[in-house]
């Protein structure tokens, strides 16, 4: 294990009024046999610095999204590099005007992103990285199959023009989609994308193992594209779902203003879906209302009432 400490890219400038947080989405595939020993010191460092969010540790690497002050997040990334011994941990900066996470979690996992297929190793080989500036030309090629590797609930609120939604509920369903819908002899070029790049990195390794010859993936994911590509040149449509209280981001990594999470099923809801008859703020939406018992709805209403009262008192 090397003692070299990586130098994270500088965090973005944060507005001072209202106070804002730096959010770092990070991952790195790399051999990490001592990952269990990292859990406690990483958790202690984050707690000391007031950082919240989630970090996943596994033998294949690290993955997470965390938020805190700019200085705190830079120190956490430096600490993570030191503990893992990785020279570089890929990370993407964005901001939040309110703390986007309720708590801090540092978890040990079998995989840092769960595909569920033995032998898939992004440390050994992955597809071809495509810079955001070159992505439009690639996905505009009629011979290229463009795949969104995210879950359907994420795809529903935003994706690239012409991309295929595999209609998966979890990333572990992706291999089944490939086996039933794709053929290496017919689909010669495949371009994939996801939120920050980690799912595509693993998916590209899987496709190469399955015999697909030309596999491309968007470097840094959708977040990198939304930051680097001007909106008037963009082929992105909608918002990009993120796994925190901001719900979704748009071009320039600005928080989407028209989305809320359903209080019953945590589905992101558009303004139109919030106007549906079955929508009740903090309780249910048209997707989950038919499945909820009167008792469960009553419990959700009470929970939502307590949340609102806590907010009025300035509490979480």
């Amino acid at each position: 294990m090397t003692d070299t400490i990586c130098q994270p890219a500088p965090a973005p400038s944060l507005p001072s009024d209202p106070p804002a947080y730096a959010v770092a989405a990070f991952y790195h595939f790399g051999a990490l046999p001592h990952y269990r020993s990292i859990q406690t010191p990483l958790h202690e460092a984050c707690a000391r610095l007031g950082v919240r969010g989630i970090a996943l540790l596994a033998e294949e690497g690290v993955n997470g999204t965390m938020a805190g002050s700019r200085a705190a997040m830079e120190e956490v990334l430096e600490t993570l590099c030191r503990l893992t011994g990785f020279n570089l941990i890929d990370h993407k900066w964005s901001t939040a005007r309110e703390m986007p996470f309720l708590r801090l979690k540092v978890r040990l996992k079998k995989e840092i992103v769960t595909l569920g297929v033995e032998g898939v190793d992004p440390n050994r080989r992955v597809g071809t990285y495509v810079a955001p500036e070159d992505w439009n030309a690639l996905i505009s090629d009629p011979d290229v199959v463009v795949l969104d590797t995210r879950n359907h609930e994420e795809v529903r609120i935003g994706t690239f023009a012409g991309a295929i939604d595999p209609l998966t509920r979890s990333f572990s369903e992706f291999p089944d989609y490939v086996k039933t819908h794709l053929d290496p002899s017919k689909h010669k070029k495949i371009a994939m994308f996801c939120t920050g790049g980690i799912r595509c990195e693993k998916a590209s390794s899987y496709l190469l193992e399955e015999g697909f010859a030309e596999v491309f993936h968007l470097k840094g994911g959708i977040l990198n594209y939304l930051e680097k590509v001007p909106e008037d040149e963009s082929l992105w449509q909608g918002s990009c779902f993120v796994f925190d209280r901001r719900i979704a981001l748009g071009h320039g990594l600005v928080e989407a203003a028209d989305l809320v999470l359903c209080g019953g099923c945590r589905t992101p809801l558009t303004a139109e879906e919030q106007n549906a008859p079955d929508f009740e703020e903090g309780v249910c939406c048209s997707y989950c209302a038919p499945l909820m018992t009167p008792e469960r709805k009553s419990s959700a209403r009470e929970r939502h009432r307590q949340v609102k009262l806590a907010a009025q008192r300035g509490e979480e």
Side-chain angles (χ1 to χ4, degrees):
M1 182 179 74
T2 177
D3 292 326
T4 303
I5 299 176
C6 73
Q7 298 296 319
S13 298
L14 304 177
S16 57
D17 186 23
Y21 296 86
V23 184
F26 56 88
Y27 78 91
H28 182 78
F29 284 105
L32 194 60
H34 62 292
Y35 72 98
R36 295 181 183 277
S37 66
I38 295 172
Q39 183 181 29
T40 297
L42 179 59
H43 191 284
E44 290 176 348
C46 292
R48 172 176 56 82
L49 293 165
V51 167
R52 298 183 192 175
I54 185 167
L56 305 179
L57 306 171
E59 198 166 345
E60 67 178 4
V62 298
N63 176 28
T65 306
M66 291 182 157
S69 70
R70 176 171 55 191
M73 283 311 308
E74 288 177 341
E75 184 171 340
V76 164
L77 288 174
E78 291 173 357
T79 299
L80 189 57
C81 287
R82 175 175 54 80
L83 291 171
T84 59
F86 296 148
N87 290 335
L88 177 65
I89 293 179
D90 187 50
H91 56 282
K92 190 67 193 163
W93 290 111
S94 58
T95 61
R97 294 192 173 275
E98 298 179 353
M99 169 53 78
F101 298 100
L102 293 174
R103 55 187 64 87
L104 168 64
K105 300 177 184 178
V106 179
R107 293 179 170 172
L108 304 178
K109 304 286 285 186
K110 183 177 180 181
E111 299 178 77
I112 56 173
V113 58
T114 304
L115 184 66
V117 179
E118 295 291 337
V120 176
D121 185 5
N123 293 314
R124 188 164 55 85
R125 66 169 179 168
V126 293
T128 302
Y129 295 99
V130 181
E133 296 82 358
D134 301 323
W135 183 249
N136 287 357
L138 175 66
I139 66 174
S140 297
D141 184 341
D143 293 328
V144 173
V145 176
V146 184
L147 278 180
D148 194 328
T149 65
R150 300 171 303 151
N151 305 337
H152 175 64
E153 290 304 327
E154 300 169 70
V155 179
R156 191 173 55 79
I157 63 171
T159 191
F160 281 105
I164 295 172
D165 176 8
L167 299 175
T168 55
R169 293 169 298 176
S170 68
F171 187 50
S172 60
E173 295 180 357
F174 182 74
D176 288 335
Y177 173 84
V178 171
K179 290 177 180 178
T180 56
H181 292 83
L182 298 179
D183 184 340
S185 65
K186 297 178 181 178
H187 306 105
K188 302 294 186 180
K189 296 181 180 180
I190 297 178
M192 299 181 297
F193 62 92
C194 58
T195 307
I198 184 171
R199 279 179 278 191
C200 288
E201 197 152 333
K202 200 159 197 179
S204 73
S205 180
Y206 169 72
L207 287 180
L208 290 171
E209 291 290 336
E210 291 296 303
F212 292 87
E214 294 187 76
V215 181
F216 306 88
H217 49 117
L218 178 59
K219 184 172 179 58
I222 301 163
L223 296 180
N224 198 26
Y225 181 93
L226 292 178
E227 181 184 45
K228 300 284 179 61
V229 177
E231 186 171 0
D232 59 358
E233 300 176 12
S234 175
L235 295 181
W236 176 260
Q237 301 172 335
S239 301
C240 177
F241 181 81
V242 289
F243 295 89
D244 58 56
R245 295 165 76 182
R246 295 174 298 173
I247 305 176
L249 303 177
H251 288 92
L253 302 183
V254 175
E255 295 180 40
D258 60 342
L259 297 172
V260 301
L261 285 181
C262 171
C265 62
R266 312 307 292 170
T267 296
L269 303 173
T270 64
E272 181 180 358
E273 290 167 329
Q274 294 168 49
N275 288 324
D278 282 336
F279 173 73
E280 184 176 346
E281 183 184 1
V283 179
C284 59
C285 66
S286 57
Y287 297 105
C288 65
L291 306 175
M292 294 180 72
T293 64
E295 292 77 15
R296 186 178 170 190
K297 286 185 179 180
S298 177
S299 176
R301 291 188 186 104
E302 176 59 23
R303 179 192 60 195
H304 185 56
R305 187 179 76 87
Q306 293 297 332
V307 168
K308 292 170 67 175
L309 289 173
Q312 291 172 7
R313 297 191 297 266
E315 303 171 355
E316 292 189 11

